């Protein structure tokens, strides 16, 4: 069975994707244009035979809503600004007459008005080039090469240009004097746009989570590199402070008294083996984890740290068992790759879908982007889907059809009730908690303050993650939606950051990081929806959801494995591929010495990269 993927989008990963800065602006414009699509009378109906019926698919992607963009950085554009090393755009896809107007209109918004996505058009998304200084902090030297941020429909292999990597591309710092200290302009962000890799969905990888185990088992980890999250932060009484979570952190902490250190270690030790002591929590199963913590002789300070920064559970909705499970999982993941339980992939979360795409393509998988599907063709007698009809009226026949939720029409989803995720992406000039090192990767949970709202998860990425330019931080905010993304997240943004203004740039004592650019949007959460909620789906049509709001990716891995076993019940899910030296080609037996010698360098070249990634943790991997 050869898997084939057809997508109407021009990039891999759907809502799991990541973009360069200009690519993100193009994505925003694409969604604005997508909202203007008018459903015309479908010509494909003429191709439906008498013994068939069609299930029409949606032409619009309605998973992204309430998009608002704000630019606070200085926007003094004296000339046309392009990305460093950017290739020329295809003139067939660009209206050059509007390029100047788009550049000018992008300079208009203030903190009180929204930037139209139409005015955000910038040169097309390009591959992010690595920063020489940032590359020194990455374990693998191969990360210094130019890396493709999104594969097009012709290739899904990261490209490295000898000409581009061989010559140093001049940066803004090299070609233009900084008029003021620490000043970062919008022109700089545009010019260094390839340094950014901005994820649509913000997640981390638990070091002993299902996704890490799958990456190691399938050997897909060879295509990616990771950095350890360096800090876990808490926002309490208007201040950001670091949370001690490992044994060493607890005893080295100056925030806790000696009594609090003993209390915390005793409670965390219990959480690691709570299942062996049911008598200590059975009586509290019906109450929330927050209320349970109050019965455990923990100080308010410790209760706050455990609830919001270790268990990371809801104060009002999580039960005692949920909190104990989350705390145990957190502690179980400590120490495998570093002092925190979390990893982050270099170049962003959007790298992971591409890693699996590369592995699939090696073994014959076919990908076709920018190719929309009009309908599913269902046989009336068997009630099974037999084919799809694409935008060209061509029939594509298959035995099984895996459809992402966003492709179904309103008729098919009339009984589905979706949740929403509120997302914000910020570019700032410094970290929310200054330390001696400016290369910190942090996670922070800001608790909900009003009934009916949800805690906000903040992930702050530095330039060594290859997701932003040097001198800036990329900040992701995520929560379950109660209103629009801006209404949900702007209060937290105002607590942690201050908008950039020219008058404050010379004041070196500004308490909060300055906000340079902000994007708010709502994303559909289609996870945990029963298949029976969709109307009249054939038995051989399987539904795949988009990202959920959780911090990890366990839900996606479980769903992928479940769907795989429904289609291929007797097969192993993502088995490890054969080693290059184990593959026997025709003619190898004639010259065994040549075959052996050719296989050894390939095996040796793979070994260092794997040891720098997931295959060689500080303790033996499982």
């Amino acid at each position: 069975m050869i898997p084939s993927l057809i997508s109407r989008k021009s990039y891999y990963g759907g809502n799991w994707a990541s973009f360069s800065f200009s690519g993100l602006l193009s994505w925003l414009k694409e969604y604005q244009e997508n909202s203007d699509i008018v459903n015309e009378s479908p010509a494909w109906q003429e191709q439906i035979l008498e013994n068939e019926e069609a299930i029409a698919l949606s032409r619009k992607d309605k998973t992204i809503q309430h998009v608002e963009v704000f630019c606070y950085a200085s926007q003094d554009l004296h000339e046309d600004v392009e990305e460093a090393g950017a290739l020329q755009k295809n003139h067939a896809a660009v209206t050059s007459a509007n390029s100047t107007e788009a550049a000018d209109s992008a300079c208009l918004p203030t903190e009180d008005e929204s930037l139209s996505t139409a005015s955000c058009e910038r040169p097309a998304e390009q591959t992010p080039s690595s920063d020489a200084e940032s590359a020194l902090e990455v374990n693998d030297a191969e990360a210094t090469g130019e890396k493709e941020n999104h594969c097009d429909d012709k290739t899904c292999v990261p490209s490295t240009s000898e000409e581009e990597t061989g010559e140093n591309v001049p940066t803004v710092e090299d070609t233009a004097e900084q008029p003021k200290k620490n000043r970062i302009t919008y022109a700089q962000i545009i010019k260094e746009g390839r340094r950014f890799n901005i994820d649509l969905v913000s997640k981390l990888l638990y070091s002993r989570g299902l996704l890490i185990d799958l990456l190691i088992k399938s050997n897909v980890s060879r295509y990616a590199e990771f950095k350890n999250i360096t800090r876990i932060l808490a926002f309490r009484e208007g201040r950001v402070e670091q949370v001690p979570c490992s044994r060493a952190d607890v005893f080295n902490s100056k925030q806790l008294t000696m009594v609090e250190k003993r209390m915390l270690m005793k409670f965390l030790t219990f959480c690691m083996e709570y299942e062996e002591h049911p008598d200590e929590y059975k009586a509290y199963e019906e109450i929330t984890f927050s209320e349970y913590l109050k019965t455990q002789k923990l100080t308010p300070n410790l209760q706050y740290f455990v609830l919001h920064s270790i268990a990371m559970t809801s104060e009002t909705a999580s039960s005692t068992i949920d909190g104990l499970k989350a705390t145990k999982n957190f502690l179980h993941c400590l120490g495998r790759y570093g002092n925190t339980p979390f990893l982050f992939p270099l170049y962003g979360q959007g790298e992971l879908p591409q890693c699996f795409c590369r592995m699939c393509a090696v073994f014959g998988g076919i990908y076709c982007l920018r190719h929309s599907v009009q309908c599913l063709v269902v046989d009336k007698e068997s009630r099974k889907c037999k084919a799809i009809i694409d935008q060209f009226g061509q029939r594509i026949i298959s035995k099984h059809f895996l459809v992402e939720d966003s492709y179904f029409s309103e008729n098919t989803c009339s009984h589905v009730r979706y949740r929403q995720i509120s997302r914000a992406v910020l570019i700032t000039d410094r970290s929310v908690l200054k330390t001696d090192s400016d290369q910190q990767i942090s996670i922070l949970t800001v608790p909900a303050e009003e009934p009916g709202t949800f805690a906000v998860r903040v992930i702050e990425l530095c330039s060594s993650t290859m997701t932003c330019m040097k001198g800036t931080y990329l900040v992701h905010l995520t929560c379950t939606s109660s209103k629009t993304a801006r209404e949900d997240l702007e209060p937290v943004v105002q607590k942690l950051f201050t908008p950039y203004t020219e008058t404050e740039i010379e004041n070196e004592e500004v308490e909060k990081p300055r906000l340079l650019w902000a994007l708010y949007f709502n994303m559909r959460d289609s996870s945990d929806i029963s298949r029976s909620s969709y109307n009249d789906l054939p038995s051989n049509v399987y539904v795949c959801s988009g990202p959920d709001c959780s911090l990890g990716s366990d839900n996606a891995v479980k769903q992928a494995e479940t769907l795989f076993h429904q289609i291929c019940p007797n097969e192993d899910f993502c088995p490890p591929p054969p080693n290059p030296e184990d593959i026997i080609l025709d003619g190898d037996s004639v010259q065994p010495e040549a075959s052996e010698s050719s296989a050894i360098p390939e095996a040796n070249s793979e070994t260092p990269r794997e040891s720098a990634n997931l295959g060689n943790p500080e303790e033996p991997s499982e």
Side-chain angles (χ1 to χ4, degrees), residues 370-389:
R370 303 185 185 92
H371 199 106
S372 61
V373 179
Q374 303 292 336
C375 70
L376 304 174
V377 180
V378 180
D379 183 79
K380 288 183 178 180
E381 183 177 351
S382 65
R383 300 304 305 166
K384 287 193 173 184
C385 185
K386 57 193 296 187
I388 60 174
I389 297 179

Side-chain angles (χ1 to χ4, degrees), residues 181-210:
K181 188 177 181 180
N182 293 334
R183 178 183 178 186
I184 297 175
T185 64
Y186 188 67
Q188 263 185 281
I189 295 174
I190 292 293
K191 192 175 183 69
E192 297 295 308
R194 299 171 72 195
R195 310 276 187 200
F196 290 89
N197 284 283
I198 302 173
D199 292 316
L200 295 184
V201 60
S202 176
K203 289 181 177 291
L204 299 177
L205 284 75
Y206 281 93
S207 64
R208 295 187 188 274
L210 295 180

Side-chain angles (χ1 to χ4, degrees), residues 377-406:
V377 180
V378 180
D379 183 79
K380 288 183 178 180
E381 183 177 351
S382 65
R383 300 304 305 166
K384 287 193 173 184
C385 185
K386 57 193 296 187
I388 60 174
I389 297 179
D390 67 7
Q391 65 194 61
F392 304 109
Q394 177 184 4
R395 281 195 176 215
I396 302 175
I397 301 172
S398 180
K399 293 182 179 179
H400 304 279
F401 299 85
L402 184 60
V403 184
E404 203 270 328
D405 170 87
S406 65

Side-chain angles (χ1 to χ4, degrees), residues 110-264:
T110 65
E111 58 185 286
D112 296 322
E113 58 182 342
S114 173
L115 174 63
S116 168
T117 55
S119 66
C120 294
E121 173 95 24
R122 282 294 182 266
E125 172 197 357
Q126 303 292 337
T127 60
S129 61
S130 58
D131 189 353
E133 293 188 33
S134 298
L136 296 176
E137 300 174 13
V138 183
N139 292 333
D140 197 324
E142 291 187 31
T144 58
E146 298 247 342
K147 190 172 184 69
E148 183 169 296
N149 191 42
H150 281 297
C151 307
D152 57 22
D153 54 347
K154 296 182 180 179
T155 178
C156 62
V157 179
S159 60
T160 303
S161 170
E162 295 181 1
E163 295 181 1
E164 290 179 356
T165 55
E167 301 178 3
N168 292 326
V169 179
T171 62
V172 175
E173 289 86 354
D174 299 330
T175 58
E177 294 183 2
Q178 297 295 323
K180 295 181 181 179
K181 188 177 181 180
N182 293 334
R183 178 183 178 186
I184 297 175
T185 64
Y186 188 67
Q188 263 185 281
I189 295 174
I190 292 293
K191 192 175 183 69
E192 297 295 308
R194 299 171 72 195
R195 310 276 187 200
F196 290 89
N197 284 283
I198 302 173
D199 292 316
L200 295 184
V201 60
S202 176
K203 289 181 177 291
L204 299 177
L205 284 75
Y206 281 93
S207 64
R208 295 187 188 274
L210 295 180
L211 184 53
I212 290 290
D213 292 342
L214 182 62
L215 288 168
I216 295 173
K217 171 192 172 185
S218 63
N219 214 9
V220 172
S221 58
R222 72 172 70 180
Y223 297 110
E225 297 176 74
F226 302 84
K227 288 187 75 73
N228 190 248
I229 304 304
T230 58
R231 301 185 300 184
I232 296 174
L233 306 178
F235 184 79
R236 190 161 181 258
E237 297 176 352
R239 300 194 319 272
V240 177
E241 52 192 43
Q242 188 165 347
V243 177
C245 49
S246 67
R247 181 183 294 271
D249 290 342
V250 169
F251 285 105
N252 291 330
S253 174
K254 297 180 180 179
Q255 304 165 251
L256 305 178
T257 66
M258 189 58 66
V259 174
E260 284 181 316
K261 291 178 181 180
R262 292 194 185 101
M263 287 180 179
L264 182 59

Side-chain angles (χ1 to χ4, degrees), residues 405-609:
D405 170 87
S406 65
Y407 282 81
F408 290 119
S409 65
E410 292 182 358
N411 292 334
T412 304
C413 302
S414 60
H415 295 97
V416 177
R417 296 294 175 262
Y418 295 109
R419 293 169 296 183
Q420 296 289 325
I421 304 170
S422 290
R423 289 277 293 113
V425 179
L426 314 177
I427 300 175
T428 66
D429 67 343
R430 63 182 175 88
S431 175
V432 292
L433 182 62
K434 293 185 68 175
T435 58
D436 294 338
S437 172
D438 62 351
Q439 295 300 313
Q440 299 281 358
I441 311 173
S442 311
I443 178 172
L444 164 68
T445 301
V446 180
E449 290 190 347
E450 301 178 2
T453 61
F454 299 88
V456 176
R457 182 174 69 243
V458 182
I459 296 177
E460 182 184 69
L461 305 172
C462 60
S463 59
S464 65
T465 62
M466 306 299 179
T467 59
C468 57
M469 60 181 276
K470 187 177 179 182
T472 65
Y473 286 81
L474 188 66
V475 184
H476 292 274
L477 287 80
T478 308
C479 74
T480 301
S481 299
S482 56
K483 303 175 185 176
T484 67
R486 183 184 174 191
E487 291 172 322
D488 285 336
L489 300 175
E490 194 171 48
V492 175
V493 172
Q494 292 172 348
K495 289 178 183 178
L496 297 174
F497 308 97
T498 184
Y500 173 98
T501 62
E502 288 289 340
T503 57
E504 293 178 349
I505 190 66
E506 296 182 5
N507 181 10
E508 297 299 328
E509 302 301 324
V510 176
E511 294 183 1
K512 301 177 182 178
R514 286 183 283 263
L515 181 59
L516 305 172
W517 185 86
L519 163 67
Y520 298 92
F521 62 92
N522 288 91
M523 176 184 290
R524 176 189 293 177
D525 181 356
S526 56
S527 63
D528 299 327
I529 293 178
S530 171
R531 189 182 186 281
S532 60
S533 300
Y534 300 93
N535 298 329
D536 301 326
L537 285 185
S539 60
N540 62 335
V541 173
Y542 309 90
V543 183
C544 175
S545 71
D548 62 0
C549 194
S550 64
L551 176 60
S553 300
D554 283 5
N555 184 72
V557 175
K558 290 177 181 177
Q559 184 185 56
E561 185 169 10
T562 299
L563 293 172
F564 176 83
H565 286 306
Q566 289 176 0
I567 299 173
C568 305
N570 300 320
E571 299 293 333
D572 186 18
F573 178 60
C574 285
N579 293 321
E581 59 268 25
D582 294 335
I583 300 176
I584 300 176
L585 303 176
D586 292 340
D588 281 357
S589 58
V590 178
Q591 296 177 335
E593 294 182 1
S595 175
E596 183 178 358
S597 62
S598 64
I600 291 175
E602 187 171 1
N604 290 339
S605 66
E606 288 290 327
T607 303
R609 180 163 191 168

